[in-house]
Amino acid sequence: MLQNLSNSLSGELFFDDLLKSIYATDASVYRKIPLAVAYPKNTEDIQTLIAFATKNKISLIPRTAGTSLAGQCVGDGIVVDVSKHFTKIVAFDEYLKTITVQPGIIRDELNLFLKPFGLFFSPDTSTTNRCMIGGMVGNNSSGTTSIKYGVTRDKVLALKTILSDGSEVTFEALTNEEFQLKKRGSTLESAIYNTIYNELSNPEIQQEIEKEFPKVSIHRRNTGYAVDELLKSSIFSASEKKINIAKLLCGSEGTLAFTTQITLQLDNLPPTESVLVAAHFNSIQESMEAVVIAMKHNLFMCELMDKTILDCTKNNREQLKNRFFVEGDPKAILMLEVKSDTITETQKLADALIADLQKHNFGYTYPKLIGENIHKAINLRKAGLGLLGNIVGDRKAVACIEDTAVEVVDLPNYISEFSAMMAKYGQDAVYYAHAGAGEIHLRPILNLKKDDDVVLFRTITTEVAKLVKKYKGSLSGEHGDGIVRAEFIPLMIGEKNYDLLKRIKIAFDPNTIFNKGKIVNAFQMDQSLRYEIDRTEPIIETIQDFSDSQGILRTAEKCNGSGDCRKPVSAGGTMCPSYRATKNEKDTTRARANALREFLTNSDKINKFDSEELKDVFDLCLSCKACASECPSNVDIAALKAEFLYQYQKANKPSLRTHLFANNNKYNKLGSMLPFATNLLLDSYITKKVLGIATQRSIPKLYKTTLKKWYKLNVEKLQKGTFENGEVYLFCDEFTNYYDVTIGIDTVELLTKLGYKVLIINHDESGRSFISKGYLDEAKVVIDKNIELFKDKISEKTPLIGIEPSAILGFRDEYIRLADDKISAKKLALNTFTIEEFIKKEFEKGAIKVSSFKNTTKEIKIHVHCQQKSLSTTEATFVMLNIPTNYKPTILNTGCCGMAGSFGYENEHYNISMQVGEDTLFPKVRNTPIEIEISASGTSCRHQIMDGTKRTSKHPVSILKEALV
């Protein structure tokens, strides 16, 4: 049956266990295994899916980025993912300030297109760098800007849809006459218009809506269907406003029709000059009372972060640098943004705001942020949702009551009552987000693996729903009803209004094929949870130490589905290079974590890692480590992949190619005896074909000698004289030792000339090749040897310095996970540096002087190694190459190069490797004038740049060495 459906589609249909497990969850607490996953290519595909669903009485679950928090994208039917193919801008009218788009276009990428025209689509959620317009319409998204610009529903002009009978219908603003014409005929469209007219013309129904729906002053109102919005039209009131059924569909979560095109009203870009006041408070209650005062100041943003969120940022490598404005240990921070066309006027607005807060004794400090610092602070706030995944253990900040909205004047009393309720249940809830809109994202901390907390999950949600109703607020402000809140709709709007919604649903979708169980006839909010309740936790033995997350399973479970790994190239950063190349959900960090969780939890095999599905999902992971820093939950997929490969290979013998790559140090040692002959053999077409290496690749050449041999021959000459800056140990990694010997020589000569006695001792290889191929027993041996050798030699006065980032940074990463002597491993890591880190540190303390370098003018573009960006810093390279007076370095905003050690050499990975390079690195290198130097610290990066652009790039240490006087 499904195979026949697949054959009839232009797009793709998957019904294998891997894809179904990946799409069983979104960013909510729910899990339902779908029947299949479809990637439609056109409207005909969607019509085919609708006909199939109708015939077979199954549901279609529409999905874009899958970042929904309430379970909207979870279901047991066919998940229809439009994020891959429905991504076009259809029409744009600069004069009317309107744009028509397909549902899979990303919000931030839409605004990049609009920026040159001075326009933007204003709703601004925390997920804007990956969320899509279709999902924003489905949820009626709001975000930080709603206090100034309104919500998505305010911007939707028209929706082109496919109805449940397969007919294409556009819903848009209609005059009374046009509306009456729509009622004529026998089509499903006509029946819909008749139902709406007959229902909403009834005075009793109108009165019931006005009585039970949230206060009209609350603009974040997303409970059920927006029938109250339709009452504002000229059809049902004395207003002159046209009726637009698209307003009803906005926020309907794909339960009424399938949207294929969206026409939006755009806004002019806001004033250019901004000041963000980060007001610090000693209590949540104080911050809530301050909101009422702050909102009198024409704010463009009024966002809250509480101590729980702020504390989570301390453990995230990417967000730690964005905490620069946090003073002391605040219980809450309000981010209050004012804007105008001049900085002088904006500063006056900020000062008036601060004075008003001080006058009312609210807050204890008020840092003012401008320029790029505003974006850093906003990124810190936006990371809040994902950062909650950093809470170690099974107790998590759970989304169930996080979407409540009340009138701003009611907010202090509402929060006061809410906090008292939480105290009753022994809860320290999380408070963050849209204070200025009367919406605080409140989250209890619960363990949904335990029955007692699942009971509390329902109890707290029920009590909060009643409290929100008391204030005539909205239980769903912007995140939607989904599964978690849908069954509370009768409580929130009354049974009579709920019955009205059911009748409207039947009019649109008589066979219930669109997103069953959402809004009406809802699934139970405490069933189909991500974890089996009161289960016996699987015991998963690993060679790596995952105790920092209480084991490998909980490491995978840290992924809460926020989907940061789906951000496009335009969003910057590196995560996730394989997804950026393929645009397949399977190739995201989220999919890998979810698949690992599924198979480790549910597999009946003794070796739960022995899975072809897991092999498939990890296959395109480049082990770049971007997820270890850019994922708010710090889900380190590279570490999980290494463990998977190790365990999988216990049951499945690795290939000869894998064995050779893993043991490259051993075979390079043999090959270095006859380097010319070895290079000739390895670079031959036949060798590449036999080993499964891409024939398009050039193979790195073994140098005529090794660095260790060179050092041994020259050590006496190098160590003559005195060394005012003391001794350093240089880690002679296996890549520099055999391939990049000249870079190693440059490093030794540079450090020697700068007053350091350079020591290279007979240590083992780094273990990087073993780790990347899952040879963790072998890696552990060399790691333990290196720690034993260095532990009594390395100190603050005699640090360990490395040249190749992936080799030296293992000391602060995998070494700690694999070492027997973890105390020594951690101590050693504190005094182990990349060459760039070391030179920056020494320059800043005055040990390295500008006078040691020439005044030659040179412009340099820097590509930084992925693991350096994740585990170290880009700043170190920038500072290092800025030491010569007339050197002008610039950090290229590039992601992963795509080579990733052996990955890019492997025949089956070659095309993906080159596509990753084409995403950002290759175009920027090609556009760099030939007289500008290209700097790349990674040996793989330099090789990829040569293969992809035919440009030579240099290690930054070689560039700096050339500048020596």
Side-chain angles (χ1 to χ4, degrees):
M1 181 175 71
L2 289 173
Q3 188 58 57
N4 289 338
L5 174 61
S6 178
N7 295 339
S8 66
L9 297 175
S10 300
E12 300 160 292
L13 185 78
F14 297 94
F15 38 93
D16 57 281
D17 288 344
L18 177 58
L19 263 291
K20 291 196 293 183
S21 70
I22 287 169
Y23 278 87
T25 55
D26 49 13
S28 73
V29 299
Y30 298 102
R31 172 183 176 270
K32 280 180 175 284
I33 299 292
L35 179 68
V37 177
Y39 292 125
K41 272 193 174 178
N42 48 45
T43 55
E44 289 78 14
D45 277 355
I46 295 172
Q47 288 170 320
T48 300
L49 288 165
I50 288 172
F52 180 86
T54 301
K55 179 180 178 181
N56 294 284
K57 298 180 180 178
I58 60 173
S59 178
L60 301 179
I61 303 102
R63 176 168 168 142
T64 50
T67 58
S68 46
L69 292 168
Q72 292 95 316
C73 296
V74 174
D76 53 13
I78 297 176
V79 174
V80 185
D81 185 344
V82 297
S83 68
K84 188 171 182 178
H85 299 301
F86 282 74
T87 59
K88 297 181 181 63
I89 293 173
V90 178
F92 172 55
D93 190 319
E94 183 182 0
Y95 177 74
L96 292 176
K97 302 178 185 177
T98 63
I99 193 163
T100 300
V101 300
Q102 291 182 320
I105 192 166
I106 294 170
R107 185 269 188 188
D108 280 0
E109 294 210 315
L110 172 61
N111 279 349
L112 282 176
F113 169 82
L114 294 170
K115 189 175 181 179
F117 303 99
L119 301 170
F120 80 131
F121 174 60
S122 56
D124 182 27
T125 66
S126 64
T127 56
T128 53
N129 63 7
R130 69 264 190 202
C131 77
M132 297 173 175
I133 300 301
M136 296 183 76
V137 170
N139 278 355
N140 185 32
S141 297
S142 304
T144 61
T145 56
S146 70
I147 58 176
K148 180 60 67 174
Y149 293 101
V151 301
T152 298
R153 183 176 289 128
D154 300 324
K155 310 302 173 185
V156 171
L157 297 177
L159 296 177
K160 188 174 184 180
T161 68
I162 304 176
L163 298 182
S164 61
D165 66 347
S167 59
E168 279 195 89
V169 170
T170 297
F171 293 103
E172 58 192 345
L174 302 174
T175 63
N176 289 14
E177 293 75 17
E178 289 168 333
F179 183 88
Q180 295 301 329
L181 286 173
K182 287 285 186 183
K183 288 166 54 186
R184 297 177 186 172
S186 57
T187 64
L188 179 58
E189 180 187 16
S190 300
I192 288 167
Y193 278 99
N194 275 291
T195 296
I196 288 170
Y197 180 77
N198 293 335
E199 294 285 1
L200 297 186
S201 296
N202 186 327
E204 290 183 8
I205 288 177
Q206 293 182 5
Q207 290 168 13
E208 192 69 17
I209 291 170
E210 290 168 6
K211 172 188 167 189
E212 295 288 350
F213 266 62
K215 291 180 181 179
V216 294
S217 56
I218 301 170
H219 66 271
R220 289 167 176 263
R221 43 198 297 116
N222 210 39
T223 302
Y225 299 137
V227 289
D228 55 330
E229 184 70 24
L230 299 185
L231 291 183
K232 299 175 185 176
S233 70
S234 58
I235 296 286
F236 305 114
S237 69
S239 77
E240 296 182 1
K241 187 175 181 180
K242 292 181 179 181
I243 190 167
N244 189 344
I245 306 302
K247 306 293 184 180
L248 181 75
L249 267 64
C250 189
S252 67
E253 302 177 7
T255 62
L256 300 179
F258 203 108
T259 299
T260 58
Q261 288 184 17
I262 301 158
T263 301
L264 301 167
Q265 183 66 60
L266 306 171
D267 290 297
N268 292 325
L269 284 170
T272 54
E273 300 299 333
S274 297
V275 174
L276 190 148
V277 176
H280 292 46
F281 301 90
N282 289 313
S283 72
I284 292 290
Q285 191 60 36
E286 181 190 7
S287 69
M288 294 297 94
E289 292 172 9
V291 168
V292 180
I293 301 300
M295 283 301 292
K296 297 176 181 177
H297 287 261
N298 194 28
L299 300 179
F300 280 73
M301 182 196 305
C302 179
E303 296 288 303
L304 173 74
M305 288 189 293
D306 77 344
K307 178 176 166 54
T308 303
I309 293 284
L310 290 167
D311 285 349
C312 284
T313 65
K314 295 176 182 177
N315 301 317
N316 180 272
R317 296 169 188 154
E318 187 75 9
Q319 295 305 327
L320 191 60
K321 61 191 177 188
N322 292 334
R323 286 178 50 88
F324 64 94
F325 64 93
V326 180
E327 298 181 21
D329 188 24
K331 291 292 190 295
I333 291 178
L334 282 176
M335 298 168 62
L336 310 169
E337 187 179 26
V338 290
K339 287 175 175 279
S340 76
D341 291 323
T342 68
I343 191 63
T344 302
E345 178 59 27
T346 310
Q347 288 284 7
K348 289 179 182 177
L349 294 173
D351 291 340
L353 169 61
I354 292 169
D356 206 1
L357 292 173
Q358 289 173 327
K359 174 184 171 184
H360 290 85
N361 295 316
F362 291 139
Y364 67 84
T365 188
Y366 317 88
K368 291 193 294 184
L369 312 182
I370 60 172
E372 185 60 28
N373 284 342
I374 294 178
H375 297 295
K376 290 178 181 178
I378 291 172
N379 285 338
L380 189 76
R381 212 296 291 163
K382 283 190 171 187
L385 165 63
L387 288 168
L388 293 173
N390 273 336
I391 300 174
V392 176
D394 292 333
R395 299 184 76 241
K396 300 292 183 184
V398 174
C400 55
I401 54 170
E402 88 295 346
D403 204 27
T404 64
V406 298
E407 196 171 10
V408 172
V409 293
D410 292 330
L411 191 59
N413 289 336
Y414 168 70
I415 291 298
S416 178
E417 288 194 58
F418 171 82
S419 298
M421 181 194 304
M422 290 296 99
K424 180 176 70 175
Y425 293 111
Q427 282 284 322
D428 290 321
V430 179
Y431 302 73
Y432 74 105
H434 316 298
E439 177 171 3
I440 304 296
H441 291 335
L442 309 162
R443 291 190 179 215
I445 310 293
L446 299 170
N447 177 5
L448 293 186
K449 294 180 180 178
K450 297 298 180 185
D451 183 65
D452 288 349
D453 276 18
V454 173
V455 171
L456 200 53
F457 177 53
R458 173 175 285 280
T459 302
I460 288 173
T461 307
T462 303
E463 290 205 27
V464 169
K466 291 175 180 177
L467 180 62
V468 173
K469 182 66 175 177
K470 171 185 171 181
Y471 285 95
K472 211 176 180 189
S474 177
L475 187 62
S476 301
E478 63 170 342
H479 294 164
D481 297 312
I483 298 173
V484 76
R485 285 178 285 272
E487 67 172 284
F488 297 97
I489 293 174
L491 168 65
M492 301 310 299
I493 64 171
E495 290 287 351
K496 291 181 180 179
N497 286 326
Y498 184 62
D499 287 341
L500 169 65
L501 302 193
K502 289 198 283 187
R503 294 194 295 273
I504 289 173
K505 166 70 172 175
I506 290 170
F508 275 89
D509 183 20
N511 296 308
T512 317
I513 64 166
F514 290 138
N515 217 2
K516 181 182 68 178
K518 320 295 164 55
I519 298 186
V520 300
N521 303 315
F523 295 135
Q524 293 292 294
M525 62 90 68
D526 50 4
Q527 294 179 11
S528 300
L529 297 174
R530 189 175 285 208
Y531 308 113
E532 181 185 343
I533 299 169
D534 287 337
R535 74 185 189 192
T536 300
E537 283 296 305
I539 298 172
I540 312 294
E541 298 292 339
T542 60
I543 187 172
Q544 293 183 87
D545 181 1
F546 291 99
S547 60
D548 54 347
S549 297
Q550 298 182 5
I552 189 170
L553 183 56
R554 288 188 177 91
T555 301
E557 289 174 353
K558 286 190 336 186
C559 175
N560 57 21
S562 63
D564 297 69
C565 44
R566 288 179 60 103
K567 63 183 180 181
V569 168
S570 60
T574 300
M575 181 177 70
C576 176
S578 54
Y579 171 74
R580 289 178 172 184
T582 70
K583 296 297 188 292
N584 289 328
E585 172 71 18
K586 178 181 75 70
D587 301 317
T588 62
T589 301
R590 173 172 70 180
R592 292 170 183 133
N594 280 338
L596 186 62
R597 170 182 51 76
E598 282 281 341
F599 285 90
L600 291 186
T601 302
N602 299 313
S603 173
D604 293 328
K605 290 185 178 181
I606 295 172
N607 181 351
K608 294 176 182 289
F609 295 90
D610 183 13
S611 160
E612 291 305 307
E613 289 87 356
L614 288 180
K615 183 175 181 287
D616 187 16
V617 83
F618 279 114
D619 181 52
L620 296 187
C621 170
L622 284 80
S623 298
C624 66
K625 290 277 181 184
C627 47
S629 59
E630 294 179 31
C631 167
S633 300
N634 300 133
V635 181
D636 186 348
I637 293 296
L640 296 178
K641 179 181 181 179
E643 187 69 39
F644 160 72
L645 289 172
Y646 171 72
Q647 302 289 351
Y648 176 82
Q649 286 165 180
K650 287 180 179 180
N652 302 271
K653 186 179 178 181
S655 67
L656 172 62
R657 184 185 68 186
T658 297
H659 178 76
L660 292 173
F661 277 136
N663 289 277
N664 79 315
N665 185 60
K666 179 170 73 173
Y667 293 113
N668 279 343
K669 186 175 182 179
L670 293 172
S672 67
M673 296 175 184
L674 293 169
F676 178 79
T678 302
N679 291 336
L680 204 61
L681 175 66
L682 291 179
D683 208 25
S684 72
Y685 178 85
I686 293 173
T687 301
K688 292 176 185 176
K689 288 294 285 185
V690 168
L691 293 179
I693 292 170
T695 55
Q696 305 94 318
R697 281 287 180 204
S698 60
I699 302 299
K701 300 292 189 290
L702 292 171
Y703 197 63
K704 60 187 177 183
T705 186
T706 69
L707 180 59
K708 286 183 178 178
K709 286 178 183 176
W710 177 88
Y711 178 80
K712 196 171 182 180
L713 287 172
N714 292 276
V715 65
E716 287 187 22
K717 182 176 69 173
L718 289 165
Q719 294 185 358
K720 283 181 181 177
T722 58
F723 298 91
E724 67 271 21
N725 287 331
E727 295 180 346
V728 297
Y729 285 87
L730 182 64
F731 188 79
C732 181
D733 67 83
E734 56 271 30
F735 310 105
T736 306
N737 189 43
Y738 291 112
Y739 300 127
D740 300 320
V741 178
T742 56
I743 296 171
I745 294 170
D746 286 344
T747 304
V748 174
E749 292 181 345
L750 173 68
L751 291 171
T752 302
K753 198 83 181 286
L754 293 174
Y756 299 91
K757 184 178 181 180
V758 180
L759 305 173
I760 298 178
I761 61 177
N762 191 27
H763 60 74
D764 216 319
E765 63 179 288
S766 72
R768 173 54 58 198
S769 297
F770 287 139
I771 293 166
S772 70
K773 290 302 178 185
Y775 282 51
L776 299 187
D777 284 326
E778 293 85 345
K780 185 175 176 57
V781 170
V782 301
I783 284 168
D784 285 336
K785 282 183 181 178
N786 282 333
I787 291 170
E788 183 63 28
L789 180 64
F790 283 116
K791 70 178 183 180
D792 296 323
K793 294 180 173 64
I794 303 305
S795 67
E796 190 175 349
K797 290 184 178 179
T798 54
L800 180 63
I801 303 166
I803 301 166
E804 170 58 34
S806 65
I808 195 66
L809 290 171
F811 279 85
R812 65 179 67 159
D813 188 26
E814 292 96 347
Y815 273 46
I816 296 169
R817 289 200 186 278
L818 284 165
D820 283 334
D821 185 357
K822 296 197 185 304
I823 294 173
S824 294
K826 290 176 181 177
K827 183 180 176 184
L828 182 57
L830 295 174
N831 293 298
T832 300
F833 305 98
T834 65
I835 184 65
E836 296 93 337
E837 290 173 332
F838 176 74
I839 288 177
K840 172 182 179 288
K841 181 169 71 75
E842 294 294 290
F843 174 68
E844 289 175 347
K845 77 176 188 181
I848 296 175
K849 301 193 168 46
V850 174
S851 58
S852 298
F853 301 94
K854 302 171 189 171
N855 291 327
T856 309
T857 298
K858 182 173 284 189
E859 191 173 348
I860 307 153
K861 300 291 184 183
I862 304 167
H863 167 71
V864 181
H865 189 281
C866 290
Q867 294 194 9
Q868 218 166 348
K869 284 183 273 194
S870 177
L871 300 168
S872 174
T873 173
T874 59
E875 182 192 9
T877 309
F878 181 76
V879 170
M880 169 179 164
L881 292 181
N882 248 315
I883 295 174
T885 302
N886 292 319
Y887 272 25
K888 297 177 182 177
T890 305
I891 301 285
L892 289 172
N893 183 17
T894 49
C896 181
C897 75
M899 184 66 90
S902 64
F903 180 90
Y905 293 97
E906 294 163 350
N907 189 52
E908 68 274 22
H909 295 145
Y910 174 77
N911 289 335
I912 291 293
S913 170
M914 299 305 283
Q915 179 57 54
V916 172
E918 290 291 354
D919 279 342
T920 55
L921 178 60
F922 292 170
K924 291 188 177 183
V925 170
R926 292 189 192 107
N927 290 333
T928 300
I930 198 69
E931 64 272 13
I932 296 175
E933 199 91 79
I934 303 293
S935 167
S937 55
T939 185
S940 292
C941 303
R942 292 189 297 276
H943 209 94
Q944 178 79 326
I945 289 170
M946 173 55 72
D947 280 0
T949 69
K950 305 306 177 188
R951 283 286 296 266
T952 298
S953 53
K954 295 181 180 178
H955 194 290
V957 79
S958 297
I959 295 172
L960 189 63
K961 191 252 183 180
E962 291 169 357
L964 280 170
V965 172

